[in-house]
Amino acid sequence: MPRYTAPTKDLQFVLHDVLKITESTIPGYDELEADFTSAILEEAGKLTSEVLAPLNAVGDKEGCRLENGIVYTPTGFKEAFEKVKEGGWTGLDMPEQYGGQNMPAVIGSAVGELFSSSNMAFTMYQGLTHGAASAILAHGTDAQKDKWLPNMVSCEWTGTMNLTEPHCGTDLGLMRTKAEPQDDGSFKITGQKIFISSGEHDMADNIIHLCLAKITDGPEGIKGVSLFIVPKFIVNDDGSLGERNGVAVGNIEEKMGIHGNSTCVMNYDGATGYLLGDEHKGMRAMFTMMNEARLGVGMQGLAQAEAAYQNALDYAKDRLQGRAVTGAENPDGPADPLIVHPDIRRSLMEQKSFAEGARAFILWGATMIDAAHRSDDKDADGLVSLLTPVIKGFLTDVGYDMTVKAQQVYGGHGYIEEWGMSQFTRDARIAMIYEGANGVQALDLVGRKLAQDGGKHVMAFFDLVKNFIKDNAGQDEAFDKDFLDPLKAASKDLQAAGMYFMQNGMSNPNHALSGSNDFMHMFGHVCLGLMWARMGKVASEKLAAGTSDATFYETKLATGRFYMARQLPSTALHLTRIQSGADTVMALDAANF
């Protein structure tokens, strides 16, 4: 069975050495001393490695089952969910007013990685609830917040998001689910939703569905979409649960992965719903949840890559196969371990450098969310908005690739279910699809985010990179060569791609959109390059100061040098593809494919 160990030391390194969170002016960050965050991460690490990780394979093998309208989760899930609730993990970064602990998002993100790495399918139950609660917190009335949030923050009640219908996914303006106004101010919701994660299960007393629907006689298309709170059980005025509402599971989707999560077809048959936010402004309210979910899904890409890497590393150290080309390194054994071979080292270094870079990227993004929400920092809000499709699209694309590389280390055993490596790949695959497929993320980045606020935020990003290089150049010749020079070259590639879009995209939008996926990946590499340059700077300073943990920082520098030398130069390939334009992409008529 695969194992998982929480990377608490690396998380502490990013939080305190790189991001220096206690030196931040963001409210609440001064309380995040290293001893405090270490205690949180160590406890989360115990829970995830000892309780959740052993259930990962169980959930994958058993899946969920539907019997007489009731969905039963895999063996052990209910008991584990109780332990998660008892520890207060479900409300870690939610307001104290509703039972949360009011910690910053950066701590929620750090802990979230551990949960997703150990058991992604299980963690989705609380993850969807957190997103639904955030939408109610942002757009609900005081009465709605008081009614729904305390039980959702504690996960006594869980939550979902209901967008997709059989005939429409990304194009939500095509939805058919209807909402009929009632005399008491409620609505009757009728329609069908599909792909609803955590849609029905046996781990909570109530399930609060956030459902998109069109109010009768409202505007056509996306402008007519509203968002509704639709509980599984009606909640009485005194807070007790009343009669069953008209929403029920129709089927459990049979999926490639995340078998432990009940992904459902949900049927609404005159279900009572309550408007959340303004009429016909449902997408604005839903995107509060969607944007949070996209950052969480980016985390899933990292999480599965990290878990898969840990197991591939174990196997590479233990499996004896062949001899090192430079001479036997295990002369007393029949063969050397796999890890002596350069191509295995290459694969492991790709996995390791991605996971550590992605971890820093996500936590940096979380600090921007905290700055936006806790300090009303508009610039931070704009920058994280720009980077959201990069976090979601790039990290899940590459995260999936890394699980495949980890599987490959096992050779044939990676393809055999008893070793458990295929689950990481199968589970990671959905992260590239849901919460906006990655092609849509790339289109959003190029078609909307680059020009947002007159291009202010992408220019701020370029300035951030340029200033980092300027402020740190000339102090250490090796650091300049290994980190700053590659970062400068990659940033220039990214700027050249943006210039190509400006010069050619207006006359023919296909020139921009056909290069959008390459641009998203190029942007992601530059972000990880920036993270590695920042981590490399810290590691160099620690070694120069004579740290007692030299091995950790030497390893960090070596891993960073690998990324800058072997991964970051791919921006040049992406630029070449972008500058080739749309002609070859669009050359064939549809009939000629």
Side-chain angles (χ1 to χ4, degrees), residues 342-455:
D343 194 58
I344 295 294
R345 291 289 189 98
R346 171 200 58 78
S347 175
L348 292 172
M349 286 295 282
E350 287 178 357
Q351 296 167 54
K352 179 178 174 63
S353 64
F354 166 75
E356 294 178 16
R359 178 173 298 119
F361 184 22
I362 285 176
L363 292 177
W364 177 48
T367 64
M368 287 184 256
I369 293 173
D370 282 327
H373 292 173
R374 291 174 171 246
S375 300
D376 197 28
D377 187 332
K378 301 299 183 187
D379 291 336
D381 190 47
L383 185 55
V384 77
S385 177
L386 169 72
L387 295 178
T388 293
V390 182
I391 292 172
K392 195 281 182 185
F394 175 73
L395 294 188
T396 58
D397 274 353
V398 181
Y400 173 80
D401 289 344
M402 294 303 153
T403 67
V404 174
K405 291 179 186 297
Q407 189 182 26
Q408 187 75 10
V409 170
Y410 281 69
H413 289 301
Y415 198 66
I416 302 301
E417 289 297 333
E418 70 178 272
W419 289 85
M421 292 304 289
S422 78
Q423 184 184 353
F424 298 122
T425 300
R426 289 184 285 104
D427 286 356
R429 185 65 183 90
I430 186 57
M432 302 162 69
I433 299 171
Y434 61 12
E435 312 306 343
N438 286 356
V440 176
Q441 300 302 316
L443 295 178
D444 177 50
L445 174 64
V446 171
R448 201 164 63 90
K449 295 296 177 64
L450 289 183
Q452 194 170 15
D453 295 329

Side-chain angles (χ1 to χ4, degrees), residues 113-443:
E113 180 196 334
L114 311 188
F115 275 85
S116 287
S117 285
S118 63
N119 197 322
M120 177 173 158
F122 175 93
T123 300
M124 288 170 64
Y125 290 99
Q126 68 208 54
L128 270 294
T129 307
H130 189 286
S134 294
I136 294 173
L137 185 64
H139 301 282
T141 64
D142 288 343
Q144 286 176 328
K145 294 174 190 177
D146 291 341
K147 182 173 185 175
W148 306 108
L149 289 181
N151 282 310
M152 294 180 72
V153 168
S154 68
C155 272
E156 293 302 319
W157 302 345
T158 59
T160 71
M161 54 194 299
N162 286 233
L163 291 80
T164 307
E165 299 182 8
H167 57 283
C168 71
T170 301
D171 191 353
L172 292 171
L174 298 176
M175 73 172 55
R176 297 171 185 159
T177 301
K178 295 296 183 185
E180 298 181 14
Q182 304 298 299
D183 293 339
D184 63 357
S186 67
F187 292 78
K188 292 296 184 184
I189 313 298
T190 302
Q192 186 180 76
K193 299 289 184 177
I194 62 172
F195 306 157
I196 309 306
S197 301
S198 313
E200 175 65 36
H201 57 85
D202 59 352
M203 299 195 300
D205 295 333
N206 204 1
I207 301 175
I208 313 304
H209 304 288
L210 295 194
C211 181
L212 287 176
K214 291 183 176 179
I215 297 174
T216 307
D217 298 327
E220 291 296 319
I222 199 67
K223 293 181 179 180
V225 173
S226 301
L227 184 61
F228 300 89
I229 300 171
V230 188
K232 174 180 175 180
F233 289 98
I234 299 296
V235 177
N236 298 321
D237 292 339
D238 63 359
S240 63
L241 297 184
E243 63 183 16
R244 178 70 187 258
N245 203 0
V247 54
V249 58
N251 191 24
I252 299 178
E253 306 282 10
E254 191 170 336
K255 310 183 298 292
M256 175 180 174
I258 54 169
H259 296 152
N261 192 268
S262 55
T263 307
C264 300
V265 174
M266 300 302 297
N267 296 321
Y268 291 80
D269 185 11
T272 298
Y274 310 96
L275 183 68
L276 178 61
D278 298 326
E279 287 190 6
H280 316 310
K281 301 294 183 182
M283 292 308 299
R284 182 173 64 183
M286 181 59 84
F287 266 103
T288 298
M289 189 173 182
M290 285 286 286
N291 285 331
E292 177 181 310
R294 286 171 178 171
L295 296 172
V297 170
M299 176 72 76
Q300 290 177 339
L302 156 64
Q304 296 310 292
E306 169 67 29
Y309 163 71
Q310 290 188 16
N311 289 279
L313 178 61
D314 288 348
Y315 189 83
K317 289 179 176 180
D318 292 341
R319 173 76 167 176
L320 301 182
Q321 200 86 166
R323 290 292 188 189
V325 294
T326 53
E329 295 193 18
N330 178 34
D332 295 332
D336 290 332
L338 279 173
I339 201 167
V340 306
H341 302 299
D343 194 58
I344 295 294
R345 291 289 189 98
R346 171 200 58 78
S347 175
L348 292 172
M349 286 295 282
E350 287 178 357
Q351 296 167 54
K352 179 178 174 63
S353 64
F354 166 75
E356 294 178 16
R359 178 173 298 119
F361 184 22
I362 285 176
L363 292 177
W364 177 48
T367 64
M368 287 184 256
I369 293 173
D370 282 327
H373 292 173
R374 291 174 171 246
S375 300
D376 197 28
D377 187 332
K378 301 299 183 187
D379 291 336
D381 190 47
L383 185 55
V384 77
S385 177
L386 169 72
L387 295 178
T388 293
V390 182
I391 292 172
K392 195 281 182 185
F394 175 73
L395 294 188
T396 58
D397 274 353
V398 181
Y400 173 80
D401 289 344
M402 294 303 153
T403 67
V404 174
K405 291 179 186 297
Q407 189 182 26
Q408 187 75 10
V409 170
Y410 281 69
H413 289 301
Y415 198 66
I416 302 301
E417 289 297 333
E418 70 178 272
W419 289 85
M421 292 304 289
S422 78
Q423 184 184 353
F424 298 122
T425 300
R426 289 184 285 104
D427 286 356
R429 185 65 183 90
I430 186 57
M432 302 162 69
I433 299 171
Y434 61 12
E435 312 306 343
N438 286 356
V440 176
Q441 300 302 316
L443 295 178

Side-chain angles (χ1 to χ4, degrees), residues 396-584:
T396 58
D397 274 353
V398 181
Y400 173 80
D401 289 344
M402 294 303 153
T403 67
V404 174
K405 291 179 186 297
Q407 189 182 26
Q408 187 75 10
V409 170
Y410 281 69
H413 289 301
Y415 198 66
I416 302 301
E417 289 297 333
E418 70 178 272
W419 289 85
M421 292 304 289
S422 78
Q423 184 184 353
F424 298 122
T425 300
R426 289 184 285 104
D427 286 356
R429 185 65 183 90
I430 186 57
M432 302 162 69
I433 299 171
Y434 61 12
E435 312 306 343
N438 286 356
V440 176
Q441 300 302 316
L443 295 178
D444 177 50
L445 174 64
V446 171
R448 201 164 63 90
K449 295 296 177 64
L450 289 183
Q452 194 170 15
D453 295 329
K456 172 183 176 181
H457 307 301
V458 72
M459 294 308 299
F461 176 81
F462 288 135
D463 285 343
L464 191 153
V465 174
K466 181 173 68 176
N467 290 336
F468 177 86
I469 294 171
K470 179 181 176 182
D471 293 344
N472 293 284
Q475 302 173 27
D476 182 328
E477 184 177 346
F479 182 71
D480 287 0
K481 174 177 174 291
D482 295 338
F483 289 90
L484 297 186
D485 290 348
L487 178 60
K488 182 186 295 185
S491 181
K492 286 184 177 179
D493 286 343
L494 186 63
Q495 292 177 66
M499 185 62 66
Y500 176 84
F501 291 155
M502 289 178 60
Q503 293 173 344
N504 298 275
M506 293 296 290
S507 59
N508 182 358
N510 285 336
H511 284 312
L513 299 184
S514 65
S516 60
N517 186 271
D518 281 289
F519 188 80
M520 179 178 72
H521 278 251
M522 180 188 287
F523 210 143
H525 278 298
V526 174
C527 287
L528 261 63
L530 176 61
M531 294 300 100
W532 271 115
R534 292 178 67 176
M535 291 189 286
K537 175 177 180 285
V538 171
S540 296
E541 292 172 347
K542 292 285 186 180
L543 289 168
T547 177
S548 60
D549 197 3
T551 300
F552 176 85
Y553 294 106
E554 288 168 354
T555 300
K556 189 65 66 174
L557 272 176
T559 308
R561 290 190 192 104
F562 174 89
Y563 192 88
M564 305 305 274
R566 298 287 298 241
Q567 302 295 83
L568 191 55
S570 63
T571 58
L573 172 61
H574 289 302
L575 177 61
T576 299
R577 289 172 173 169
I578 288 169
Q579 291 177 333
S580 72
D583 292 345
T584 57

